[in-house]
Amino acid sequence: MVLSKTERKIIEDSIRDIKDFPKPGIVFKDITTLLNNKEAYGVLMNHLYQRYKEYNLDYIAGIDARGFIFGAALAQMLGLGFVPIRKKGKLPYTTISEKYSLEYGVDEVEVHIDAFSEIPNARVLIIDDLIATGGTANAAATLVKQTGAECVEACFIIGLGFLDGIKNLEEKTDVYSLIEMD
Ligand code: AMP
């Protein structure tokens, strides 16, 4: 199940470029203009539902913070539980964590140790709005595996084509990105 040309255009046209945010040289892909556009948001969520309803998933895991918006909505549509993968220090119970490199310095994501424990060998879909270097998603996939669950696929609305993020992540899990952008 892939996007039709028309669906792709509706979604693509709804994403806004913000130059030099959050710092000079970065073009920020703003998905708030997708979310407040009921046609684009509907087309996107319907596509995700159609694609993943056959995947026999057990959980959707969303990456902090924009992955929560798409992930929680999709989990509800598919009748599945939702698990947040959060930036360090936000989750209240026992966590496992994974560090990853940024351009300057490191960051860390965490998940509750028992997040997927109700279903043995749970089949998990990771979701975020965008993949750039792939560092965040790689760390998220590592965490899912460390809990004993299976990362079936990692899904992104936007793949930033000029970086090797998707290629790197594909060593760990299947990857699906709806729209390639520069
Ligand atoms: P990365 O770990 O480099 O793949 O970065 C992915 C994370 O950073 C995602 O959670 C994105 O929401 C965010 N991000 C990175 N670059 C951009 C960008 N150009 N526009 C919007 N979000 C971005």
Side-chain angles (χ1 to χ4, degrees):
M1 169 70 62
V2 288
L3 274 180
S4 73
K5 237 179 170 176
T6 318
E7 290 173 323
R8 181 182 308 277
K9 181 158 171 44
I10 290 168
I11 297 170
E12 204 168 334
D13 288 352
S14 73
I15 297 166
R16 172 165 68 179
D17 279 359
I18 309 287
K19 287 204 179 85
D20 298 321
F21 182 88
K23 53 184 182 186
I26 304 281
V27 180
F28 191 86
K29 300 293 179 187
D30 179 15
I31 52 89
T32 65
T33 45
L34 185 169
L35 294 170
N36 72 4
N37 176 329
K38 68 181 177 193
E39 186 191 17
Y41 191 29
V43 165
L44 171 70
M45 293 313 303
N46 181 56
H47 171 71
L48 293 176
Y49 172 76
Q50 294 299 334
R51 178 180 176 84
Y52 289 112
K53 69 180 183 188
E54 313 294 350
Y55 269 58
N56 206 11
L57 296 167
D58 295 309
Y59 294 95
I60 308 291
I63 298 178
D64 203 340
R66 289 179 290 272
F68 296 171
I69 300 167
F70 303 108
L74 181 61
Q76 211 280 328
M77 289 169 89
L78 291 167
L80 303 174
F82 173 79
V83 171
I85 294 178
R86 299 218 61 180
K87 295 277 164 63
K88 190 175 171 56
K90 303 286 186 186
L91 289 171
Y93 185 59
T94 309
T95 58
I96 52 172
S97 65
E98 182 72 14
K99 290 193 174 73
Y100 58 97
S101 323
L102 301 170
E103 204 177 345
Y104 300 103
V106 290
D107 216 335
E108 199 165 345
V109 281
E110 299 186 320
V111 71
H112 276 150
I113 195 158
D114 61 349
F116 308 105
S117 62
E118 214 148 273
I119 303 176
N121 308 312
R123 290 171 57 79
V124 177
L125 174 77
I126 289 176
I127 190 162
D128 201 359
D129 64 331
L130 180 146
I131 179 166
T133 67
T136 319
N138 244 294
T142 302
L143 286 180
V144 168
K145 290 182 179 193
Q146 277 174 4
T147 65
E150 182 189 349
C151 183
V152 175
E153 190 157 274
C155 172
F156 307 91
I157 316 310
I158 303 158
L160 283 190
F162 61 90
L163 293 164
D164 279 341
I166 292 177
K167 230 194 291 168
N168 294 337
L169 185 58
E170 274 171 345
E171 289 172 20
K172 205 166 272 173
T173 179
D174 285 348
V175 178
Y176 177 58
S177 79
L178 279 77
I179 292 168
E180 295 298 319
M181 290 180 158
D182 293 324

